[in-house]
Amino acid sequence: MESVWGIVSVCTPYLVSLLALLVCLEQISYLKKKRNIPGPNLVLPFIGNAISFVLNPKKFWELQSANSKSSDAGFSANYIFGRFILFITSSDLSHKVFANVRPDAFQFVGHPFGKIIFGDHNLGYLFGQQHKDLRRLIAPNFTPRALSNYISIQQIIILKHLKSCIQSTSSTTSTTKLPITLRTLIRDMNLETSQAVFVGPYLNQEAVRQRFNKDFNFINVGLMKLPINFPGFAFRSAKLGFQRILQTLVTCARESRTRMKTAGSEPTSTLDFLMVQQNVREDSSCPHCSSSESDEEIGHLLFDFLLAAQDASTSSLLWAVTLLDSHPEVLARVREEVAGVWSPESDTPITPEQLSKMRFTQAVAKEIVRFRPPGIVMPHVVLENFQLTENYTIPKGTIVFPSIFESSFQGFVEPHRFDPDRFMEERQEDRIYKKNFLVFGTGAHQCVGQRFAINHLVLFIAIFTSLIDFKRHRTDGCDDFVYVPTIIPKDECKVFLSK
């Protein structure tokens, strides 16, 4: 025992010296990458500002923004978990990142540590011809014709959840009405909607659906925690949850592929339509046709759709209720427009033609996602040194965060004012300030489902405002936002509801 302690006592000074050397080299490396751009001059060893990044992301990003605006650079630096990061507020520089997604420049990663959870095969991580082929496969599922097929499914589920919510509110025996927290209700609605539209009848067992939804919640929680990939940690649970979801989606893809090969089978979901195209490609004798994707690749693709449609959409729908409540003049115009086109008493769904006539409601939807974009940043990793400006080259391995939120408040007329009229035909600010409207991205990786997302938001607004009277339960700071990891109202949107 004494000999062990003797070895330890001899080695300790060397280990301490080695640790001090590593800390010093790390600091020098950070300062060399940072150069003279805004950002902290000293960072904690190994973890940098990761604690602030995880515990208070709003404050973290506000500090990044303030640093970026403290000079003319349009970006600022920081350090988290051994990774040098760059936060970009300039819309022009953000466009430069989006326009250079390729193997020798940038790769979209969605989350700083997303590849640890999701692997390398998600649509956002692909480049070149492989990415083009996959988007070409997806595109027919988001044409106006395809979207019109989804509209009826979306409405059925929206109506089902809203009517259930009203019934539960009406049946309460309490003399004092209590506010309802909408976040959980709307997220459950979006889970069911996205699963019905994208996956269809293949998630038909209740136990499977419950496990599926629980795993999506693990992913949401894990993305907001420290990236510690060990048992017992939320990040690990997120990774395992994704693997279970993927396996379920692969099974669904296999079932759909078999069903769509059966004569007379009609497609009922995005998955079925994908498999129809897959079967055509497999049976084609054309030497120039691309080979079909595997069931696992289709599973990854479906997961991308589901993740985007569920949590980003939940964020937008919560802000719709929040912003309409605080802008009664906008709410009145929405109700008037919808009533002139559709009535819930008609017992008929809103048609695609009626939806297209709701011009102001569509403008409201666009202003909601501009004013409160669900994802405030779009992280990219730098694969090779990239000259961002005349005076600064981004080092390889840097994680770059183009800020969608910051761009949303640049250029537009009175950008900090909620003003749906900016998107009406008379003003067309979405065209005039197109470079600042980045909520769906731009370039090769622009969101392919953006029209679906806007349709869903417009449908929800039209049905919700026609069926329900609502009033926010206002508390201090309730309209502030928190990260989950999309942004939502701090109080998770507590409202009083009545028919």
Side-chain angles (χ1 to χ4, degrees):
M1 189 67 178
E2 290 181 3
S3 62
V4 172
W5 282 112
I7 294 172
V8 171
S9 63
V10 170
C11 291
T12 296
Y14 295 99
L15 293 174
V16 171
S17 298
L18 177 61
L19 182 62
L21 177 63
L22 290 174
V23 169
C24 184
L25 290 174
E26 181 186 47
Q27 187 69 32
I28 292 171
S29 173
Y30 165 73
L31 291 174
K32 184 179 178 182
K33 292 174 180 178
K34 176 182 174 293
R35 292 171 54 188
N36 60 346
I37 63 175
N41 291 320
L42 291 173
V43 293
L44 286 174
F46 310 120
I47 63 170
N49 284 297
I51 295 175
S52 172
F53 176 76
V54 172
L55 296 183
N56 195 342
K58 186 172 186 291
K59 183 177 179 181
F60 177 85
W61 293 122
E62 285 175 347
L63 181 59
Q64 290 301 121
S65 175
N67 284 338
S68 179
K69 294 172 183 176
S70 67
S71 76
D72 296 330
F75 52 94
S76 61
N78 213 316
Y79 189 75
I80 55 172
F81 270 111
R83 300 296 293 269
F84 180 71
I85 73 166
L86 216 63
F87 178 79
I88 298 178
T89 55
S90 163
S91 295
D92 291 328
L93 295 181
S94 292
H95 275 273
K96 195 168 185 177
V97 173
F98 298 143
N100 287 282
V101 177
R102 59 176 195 265
D104 63 340
F106 298 98
Q107 181 181 36
F108 175 72
V109 292
H111 184 277
F113 308 103
K115 291 184 85 172
I116 301 175
I117 296 177
F118 306 133
D120 297 323
H121 303 294
N122 286 68
L123 175 63
Y125 301 154
L126 302 181
F127 297 108
Q129 194 59 45
Q130 186 181 13
H131 180 254
K132 289 178 182 178
D133 288 344
L134 201 50
R135 283 185 72 95
R136 196 175 293 118
L137 173 69
I138 297 167
N141 298 282
F142 292 98
T143 60
R145 183 179 178 184
L147 291 170
S148 67
N149 292 330
Y150 302 149
I151 284 174
S152 60
I153 299 174
Q154 291 168 276
Q155 288 182 77
I156 289 169
I157 297 172
I158 290 172
L159 280 166
K160 168 188 162 184
H161 282 263
L162 292 185
K163 287 180 177 179
S164 174
C165 182
I166 285 296
Q167 286 172 0
S168 64
T169 304
S170 303
S171 62
T172 181
T173 56
S174 173
T175 55
T176 304
K177 276 207 168 188
L178 299 175
I180 292 176
T181 301
L182 282 187
R183 182 194 172 194
T184 302
L185 296 170
I186 287 180
R187 187 171 185 274
D188 288 346
M189 181 186 77
N190 284 335
L191 282 166
E192 185 174 347
T193 305
S194 58
Q195 289 167 16
V197 168
F198 299 133
V199 188
Y202 306 104
L203 285 172
N204 53 6
Q205 296 181 28
E206 185 60 28
V208 173
R209 294 175 71 93
Q210 288 181 2
R211 176 76 257 182
F212 201 82
N213 296 348
K214 188 175 181 180
D215 284 333
F216 260 106
N217 190 56
F218 281 147
I219 290 171
N220 278 341
V221 174
L223 289 173
M224 295 299 296
K225 301 298 182 181
L226 298 174
I228 303 174
N229 193 17
F230 292 108
F233 289 89
F235 194 81
R236 176 71 172 180
S237 297
K239 184 174 182 179
L240 295 176
F242 167 73
Q243 291 171 353
R244 286 190 294 266
I245 288 174
L246 180 62
Q247 190 54 54
T248 300
L249 293 175
V250 169
T251 302
C252 292
R254 195 173 298 127
E255 292 175 5
S256 175
R257 189 185 294 272
T258 302
R259 178 172 171 262
M260 287 298 100
K261 286 182 177 179
T262 305
S265 295
E266 290 293 327
T268 60
S269 64
T270 298
L271 174 57
D272 285 344
F273 283 109
L274 285 169
M275 285 308 177
V276 169
Q277 297 172 70
Q278 292 287 284
N279 293 339
V280 169
R281 292 164 75 177
E282 287 177 355
D283 297 339
S284 175
S285 59
C286 170
H288 304 293
C289 292
S290 301
S291 61
S292 64
E293 275 67 36
S294 68
D295 292 335
E296 183 170 354
E297 288 170 319
I298 294 295
H300 277 284
L301 191 59
L302 288 172
F303 175 80
D304 287 345
F305 290 168
L306 291 167
L307 188 65
Q310 289 172 8
D311 294 299
S313 184
T314 296
S315 169
S316 296
L317 268 54
L318 292 175
W319 287 115
V321 176
T322 299
L323 292 167
L324 287 173
D325 174 79
S326 58
H327 296 82
E329 73 288 352
V330 175
L331 174 60
R333 287 177 64 185
V334 166
R335 282 179 165 153
E336 181 181 4
E337 179 180 72
V338 174
V341 176
W342 173 79
S343 170
E345 281 75 26
S346 66
D347 280 335
T348 58
I350 299 171
T351 65
E353 293 74 22
Q354 289 173 322
L355 197 67
S356 67
K357 292 178 181 178
M358 298 179 188
R359 300 289 177 81
F360 181 70
T361 310
Q362 291 179 31
V364 170
K366 288 182 179 179
E367 178 68 343
I368 288 166
V369 297
R370 180 202 71 87
F371 195 74
R372 289 292 180 264
I376 68 162
V377 291
M378 287 191 180
H380 290 67
V381 64
V382 184
L383 302 176
E384 297 291 344
N385 292 350
F386 184 86
Q387 187 164 352
L388 184 66
T389 66
E390 184 179 344
N391 300 316
Y392 187 77
T393 297
I394 311 176
K396 178 181 177 179
T398 301
I399 301 178
V400 178
F401 293 87
S403 176
I404 309 307
F405 189 87
E406 293 294 336
S407 288
S408 292
F409 294 93
Q410 296 171 21
F412 293 98
V413 177
E414 295 185 83
H416 292 277
R417 180 174 170 233
F418 182 74
D419 180 14
D421 281 313
R422 73 175 75 250
F423 291 113
M424 294 296 282
E425 193 65 27
E426 296 79 11
R427 289 169 59 180
Q428 300 183 30
E429 289 191 28
D430 51 336
R431 299 178 189 175
I432 298 171
Y433 304 109
K434 184 179 180 180
K435 77 171 185 177
N436 303 112
F437 191 61
L438 295 176
V439 65
F440 296 110
T442 188
H445 284 257
Q446 188 175 36
C447 177
V448 72
Q450 58 182 291
R451 189 65 252 178
F452 173 85
I454 291 294
N455 278 358
H456 189 60
L457 184 51
V458 173
L459 283 169
F460 175 81
I461 292 171
I463 297 171
F464 185 82
T465 58
S466 298
L467 287 177
I468 293 175
D469 275 327
F470 60 99
K471 185 175 179 60
R472 289 289 305 283
H473 174 61
R474 297 209 161 268
T475 54
D476 289 341
C478 66
D479 288 346
D480 203 354
F481 55 81
V482 293
Y483 294 75
V484 293
T486 55
I487 62 170
I488 64 169
K490 187 177 180 180
D491 69 340
E492 301 189 352
C493 199
K494 290 184 178 180
V495 292
F496 296 100
L497 301 179
S498 60
K499 189 173 179 181

